[in-house]
Amino acid sequence: MKYEPGESFFDEMFTAGGQVRPHYQGLQEYIDSLGVTEFQRRHGMLDLAFRNQGITFTVYGDSKGTERTFPFDPVPRVIPASEWAHVEAGLTQRVKALNLFLNDIYGDAQILNDNVVPSELVYTSAHFRREVHGVTPPGGLYTHIVGSDLIRDEKGEYLVLEDNLRSPSGVSYLLSNRDAMRRIYPKMFEGQGVRSVQHYATSLLTLLQSVSPRDNGTVVVLTPGMYNSAYFEHAYLAQQMGVELVEGRDLFVDAGRVWMRTTGGRQQVDVIYRRIDDDFIDPLAFRRDSSLGVAGLIEVYRQGRVAIANAVGTGVADDKAVYAYVPDMIKYYLNEEPLLNNVPTFLGSEPDHLEHILANAANMVIKAVGEAGGYGMLIGPASTEEEVAEFLVKVKDNPRDFIGQPVVGLSRHPTFYPDSAEFEGAHIDLRPYILCGKDEVTIVPGGLTRVALRRGSLVVNSSQGGGSKDTWVLDHDGPVTPQGQSQMMHGDGQSQSQSQSQTIGGSEAQSQTQSQTQSPSPTQSEPQPESSPGGHSYQQELEKDVLEDATLEDTVPEDAAPEGPAGEDK
């Protein structure tokens, strides 16, 4: 792999001296053995697979068309076991504190009375819902599904950039990316010890059923409809969980219960995994012009006869101004020091902070507290003086609605650019998906790695030109000591040994001979590719001498990836 890691940013795969990090050695060997030409050919297959299967997202207001194929880079991000253990512990701590905070502010508000978090900041948040004050959701859970965005700074430290507690999107890409990679690059996984992500839908369904007011309750996924930017994800998750995908018009309230219209008559609904914002979920409680929600739903919710995930009102905790106080919440509720730090944040609502923002805007990132997807944001160093001055007018008019943060040099990762047929560094972040149950927190090993594909850009959001990568969490710290998968991969039942010579930054590295004698446990490593309908494994298909002439259908069958568009808060 010819690649220059540079020295200005932390590089995930290589040290500044050009040495591959131990947990990436197996991946680099595979890429070197495959060669750039074949790697590029398979990259084209991935793009066609996503396009043909309809894995797209929607950009509202785009004159060029709303549907776009979600860009995907096939060089996976790799996280060693010990590093992931730290991330997992920090996220678990964080979501516990956030859930306690939400229970508190919609109850006795002790944290506000103790002046740990300013009352004005909470009560002036656009997402604080007085309509559910005093309501305790089933199990006391507000935050069932959380997607916290993590970055790594120039030193390689993980920092929390923001928390998404309303309707965090993107998990369908995580699952679809892994599925496609296993089909197009099956040998890439051989012996790597990659932990599986395929249990997400099962874990999500178990969580939703656990908060049902009735035993064996009915779960549904509530979508705004097929024109929503994340409709693919809504349909995908409903299908994976085996539950009904419904729109507001499919549900109604009667006799203090929520019912679903079916061809066999009405059926009571107990748990609603909603992908609709609070404002639109019930026209009797919030926006009266909404045709997306269910009239009377909030009253049934207040009576405890239906569970809503995530709970109504959770948005106040992902307000970007409230975010600044999460470390204080952890200390207040858990009496612990935060394991994951925030990015330093200046609040427009604080006079001294506002003064700092106005004086240093050209060197900061300024964000609107209620926006998502990379919108409502100014990146000072990438803006003109006129753009900075124009944006600061908004800040001065409504300082509560803005925060300022220093520009953090997001870590970079080798990324393949088809136009140059070379591996170049691109900035990345990570969105792990966290399921918060009554008794435990489940975190999918990995998450969605988003990559800023526009050269030099720090913005990873897909609506702003970003894409994604598969994210591997290993069951070891590296270097790879493969456990033989020859029987699973080749079907021959024989052990194999392989000797590979690798090139690191243009220099020869030591050849490694790796013995493969034992298959990994399916609970620890990523499941291997399934057999194709024709009876041959994908591995065999890709190893044919006539590989150059193979069609996409030879390597990516129709079920390689789900159909549809996706993505809410990109």
Side-chain angles (χ1 to χ4, degrees):
M1 175 188 287
K2 184 179 180 181
Y3 174 76
E4 295 294 335
E7 299 179 355
S8 300
F9 305 96
F10 180 85
D11 191 273
E12 297 285 343
M13 186 170 177
F14 291 90
T15 66
Q19 299 299 307
V20 67
R21 300 186 190 279
H23 51 286
Y24 273 98
Q25 286 184 6
L27 174 63
Q28 194 222 24
E29 289 176 7
Y30 171 81
I31 294 175
D32 286 344
S33 66
L34 194 64
V36 173
T37 301
E38 179 60 17
F39 191 86
Q40 183 175 24
R41 194 185 75 83
R42 298 193 191 197
H43 180 277
M45 285 184 175
L46 278 171
D47 186 64
L48 285 173
F50 287 132
R51 184 180 304 278
N52 291 343
Q53 297 299 323
I55 303 177
T56 61
F57 68 98
T58 301
V59 179
Y60 298 127
D62 184 1
S63 59
K64 296 181 181 179
T66 57
E67 295 273 332
R68 294 184 184 177
T69 302
F70 193 61
F72 178 68
D73 177 67
V75 185
R77 182 210 197 125
V78 184
I79 302 175
S82 60
E83 191 174 287
W84 178 250
H86 170 70
V87 169
E88 199 169 34
L91 291 173
T92 299
Q93 178 192 60
R94 193 173 183 93
V95 296
K96 285 181 177 179
L98 285 166
N99 192 61
L100 290 168
F101 170 71
L102 288 164
N103 272 280
D104 190 3
I105 64 171
Y106 285 111
D108 296 334
Q110 193 61 48
I111 196 170
L112 306 184
N113 295 334
D114 290 341
N115 296 317
V116 176
V117 178
S119 300
E120 183 180 0
L121 203 64
V122 171
Y123 295 140
T124 59
S125 172
H127 302 295
F128 182 76
R129 304 301 180 191
R130 291 169 176 80
E131 295 83 353
V132 294
H133 192 274
V135 177
T136 301
L141 291 173
Y142 277 86
T143 56
H144 307 81
I145 303 104
V146 179
S148 292
D149 292 341
L150 305 180
I151 61 173
R152 296 183 85 175
D153 63 13
E154 295 85 350
K155 298 179 181 178
E157 179 186 0
Y158 280 99
L159 303 173
V160 180
L161 184 64
E162 64 180 47
D163 302 292
N164 298 288
L165 289 86
R166 284 171 284 167
S167 295
S169 66
V171 72
S172 57
Y173 292 135
L174 180 161
L175 301 173
S176 299
N177 289 349
R178 177 63 57 84
D179 194 47
M181 284 288 288
R182 288 171 53 230
R183 284 161 166 78
I184 306 299
Y185 298 92
K187 286 196 72 174
M188 187 183 288
F189 291 86
E190 188 171 352
Q192 299 283 3
V194 182
R195 294 176 60 184
S196 176
V197 298
Q198 300 304 321
H199 61 283
Y200 176 82
T202 301
S203 299
L204 175 60
L205 180 60
T206 300
L207 168 61
L208 296 174
Q209 290 173 330
S210 73
V211 297
S212 172
R214 296 189 305 157
D215 292 338
N216 301 314
T218 298
V219 177
V220 299
V221 176
L222 177 60
T223 176
M226 64 181 296
Y227 296 108
N228 182 263
S229 64
Y231 182 72
F232 156 63
E233 179 152 296
H234 308 163
Y236 178 84
L237 290 176
Q239 186 273 333
Q240 290 292 306
M241 290 190 290
V243 304
E244 295 293 335
L245 178 69
V246 300
E247 297 181 27
R249 60 188 176 182
D250 299 319
L251 305 179
F252 66 96
V253 171
D254 184 45
R257 305 286 193 276
V258 179
W259 304 89
M260 172 173 54
R261 295 182 174 89
T262 75
T263 55
R266 69 182 190 176
Q267 179 181 355
Q268 186 172 340
V269 172
D270 303 282
V271 183
I272 299 175
Y273 176 26
R274 54 77 174 255
R275 301 299 292 259
I276 295 178
D277 286 343
D278 290 350
D279 282 338
F280 301 95
I281 200 168
D282 182 351
L284 298 184
F286 302 113
R287 286 187 52 160
R288 297 191 178 276
D289 61 344
S290 172
S291 59
L292 302 176
V294 184
L297 173 60
I298 295 302
E299 183 56 34
V300 180
Y301 174 70
R302 291 180 61 88
Q303 294 171 8
R305 293 173 178 165
V306 67
I308 299 176
N310 284 342
V312 177
T314 54
V316 66
D318 65 18
D319 182 302
K320 291 179 175 62
V322 175
Y323 149 92
Y325 290 91
V326 175
D328 297 313
M329 297 177 198
I330 293 172
K331 297 174 185 177
Y332 182 81
Y333 292 117
L334 305 179
N335 195 28
E336 298 172 358
E337 290 296 319
L339 297 176
L340 295 172
N341 292 319
N342 278 12
V343 175
T345 303
F346 297 87
L347 306 178
S349 57
E350 298 289 333
D352 54 337
H353 287 204
L354 176 61
E355 183 178 348
H356 180 85
I357 293 172
L358 296 177
N360 297 276
N363 300 310
M364 300 184 73
V365 177
I366 305 176
K367 304 176 183 178
V369 299
E371 293 283 355
Y375 296 104
M377 179 171 66
L378 174 81
I379 301 179
S383 304
T384 65
E385 292 184 6
E386 292 76 13
E387 290 171 334
V388 172
E390 182 179 347
F391 197 90
L392 289 183
V393 172
K394 303 176 186 177
V395 176
K396 294 174 183 177
D397 289 343
N398 297 287
R400 161 65 178 86
D401 293 340
F402 293 91
I403 63 167
Q405 296 174 327
V407 177
V408 178
L410 276 63
S411 63
R412 298 200 312 179
H413 195 286
T415 300
F416 187 74
Y417 283 84
D419 61 348
S420 63
E422 293 183 352
F423 296 93
E424 304 176 32
H427 297 285
I428 61 172
D429 77 351
L430 176 66
R431 176 176 292 183
Y433 293 91
I434 310 154
L435 301 177
C436 309
K438 297 178 183 177
D439 303 316
E440 64 178 351
V441 174
T442 301
I443 304 177
V444 179
L448 182 68
T449 290
R450 300 184 298 179
V451 53
L453 292 175
R454 293 177 181 171
R455 290 177 172 90
S457 174
L458 291 170
V459 183
V460 299
N461 307 85
S462 60
S463 54
Q464 308 295 314
S468 68
K469 290 175 173 285
D470 192 13
T471 307
W472 293 3
V473 171
L474 305 183
D475 57 15
H476 59 85
D477 282 355
V480 174
T481 305
Q483 301 173 0
Q485 299 184 20
S486 57
Q487 184 172 357
M488 298 180 68
M489 299 299 295
H490 300 279
D492 56 10
Q494 302 296 319
S495 63
Q496 296 183 350
S497 65
Q498 59 179 357
S499 179
Q500 299 176 322
S501 178
Q502 60 178 331
T503 302
I504 301 177
S507 63
E508 290 297 319
Q510 182 179 4
S511 297
Q512 296 184 354
T513 300
Q514 302 171 331
S515 176
Q516 301 176 322
T517 57
Q518 180 182 0
S519 297
S521 166
T523 59
Q524 294 179 335
S525 296
E526 178 61 30
Q528 300 307 313
E530 307 163 1
S531 293
S532 68
H536 298 287
S537 70
Y538 292 103
Q539 180 65 35
Q540 291 168 329
E541 289 289 341
L542 290 170
E543 288 180 341
K544 290 180 179 179
D545 292 337
V546 293
L547 181 62
E548 290 77 11
D549 298 323
T551 63
L552 178 64
E553 289 75 12
D554 289 329
T555 52
V556 186
E558 291 182 358
D559 64 349
E563 300 179 353
E568 275 141 331
D569 52 0
K570 305 198 178 47

